[in-house]
Amino acid sequence: MSEDTDKEKHEQDYLLLDRFTNAASLILLNEKTSFKSFERMKGNFLEQIIEGKHPKSEIVSLKLLSDNTCKVISY
């Protein structure tokens, strides 16, 4: 009977670890996707600046905030 209990406990541990790894994988995938999207957005914005799609008066100051958001300040 002790062997059955040990086997059941190992199965529960395995299921818990499996759920944990799935959750961790989803979090990492979300972070990777967020990072790639932000980098693509910065690239697109830079291209627009280079191509002159934004007037100089609009682009006075660009500040990269610590939370990875861009802020355009117009005067």
Side-chain angles (χ1 to χ4, degrees):
M1 196 162 207
S2 175
E3 189 175 307
D4 288 338
T5 306
D6 287 343
K7 185 176 181 180
E8 191 173 309
K9 177 145 176 47
H10 286 304
E11 287 178 18
Q12 289 175 353
D13 289 345
Y14 177 79
L15 290 174
L16 178 67
L17 286 173
D18 189 47
R19 287 182 182 174
F20 177 78
T21 56
N22 284 334
S25 295
L26 287 174
I27 290 169
L28 289 173
L29 180 62
N30 185 37
E31 287 297 316
K32 179 181 174 184
T33 304
S34 175
F35 178 77
K36 284 186 172 185
S37 296
F38 183 68
E39 291 299 311
R40 190 170 35 254
M41 181 183 68
K42 287 192 316 185
N44 288 339
F45 186 64
L46 180 60
E47 281 182 29
Q48 290 175 356
I49 291 172
I50 291 170
E51 293 172 359
K53 292 183 179 178
H54 292 283
K56 289 182 182 179
S57 61
E58 182 181 323
I59 306 165
V60 174
S61 177
L62 177 64
K63 182 178 180 184
L64 183 60
L65 302 174
S66 60
D67 62 353
N68 288 338
T69 58
C70 285
K71 184 176 183 182
V72 176
I73 303 169
S74 296
Y75 294 99

